[in-house]
Amino acid sequence: MIPNSKVAILYFFLNLDRIVNEVMQTEEWEAVKMNILEIGMAQGMETGFQKGIQRGEDRLAQLLKLLKSAGRNEDADRVVFDEEYRKQLYQEFEFL
């Protein structure tokens, strides 16, 4: 014989499964799925955005280090303010 506590737990999960199946058949479930998808996409976009910022910062820092170690201090100062010049130096140092 199964103890009452185990029967109660089994009944709870069977009832929960029935409720979930009923909810999944409703139009509200479609809205919930879309909301979950939108939240996931927004979180993914934010994560990608943050990683992109970090990669850009790392790239600029590496360029500045190379310029400083080569004694090109004026170039290092200029790339901070001149985007076109920075792009030229990325190509010169083979940053792609």
Side-chain angles (χ1 to χ4, degrees):
M1 179 165 201
I2 300 174
N4 285 340
S5 61
K6 289 186 179 181
V7 170
I9 292 171
L10 181 60
Y11 177 77
F12 171 79
F13 281 109
L14 289 173
N15 195 38
L16 181 62
D17 185 56
R18 180 188 57 78
I19 292 169
V20 168
N21 284 325
E22 285 177 15
V23 169
M24 289 176 65
Q25 303 304 316
T26 65
E27 290 180 22
E28 289 87 8
W29 178 246
E30 290 301 317
V32 168
K33 285 194 308 188
M34 290 306 295
N35 193 23
I36 291 169
L37 179 62
E38 289 172 4
I39 291 169
M41 288 176 60
Q43 289 174 343
M45 289 172 59
E46 178 63 25
T47 298
F49 181 73
Q50 294 300 325
K51 285 182 179 181
I53 289 172
Q54 186 62 50
R55 287 173 65 187
E57 289 178 355
D58 292 347
R59 187 177 184 208
L60 179 57
Q62 187 175 1
L63 178 60
L64 290 171
K65 287 176 190 176
L66 288 170
L67 291 170
K68 292 285 189 175
S69 67
R72 295 173 61 177
N73 295 328
E74 288 180 20
D75 288 334
D77 292 339
R78 184 174 169 191
V79 297
V80 173
F81 300 102
D82 187 337
E83 182 179 352
E84 288 303 316
Y85 189 63
R86 183 169 55 243
K87 288 177 183 178
Q88 288 175 5
L89 291 182
Y90 281 146
Q91 288 179 348
E92 178 182 329
F93 286 95
E94 299 180 357
F95 283 78
L96 297 177

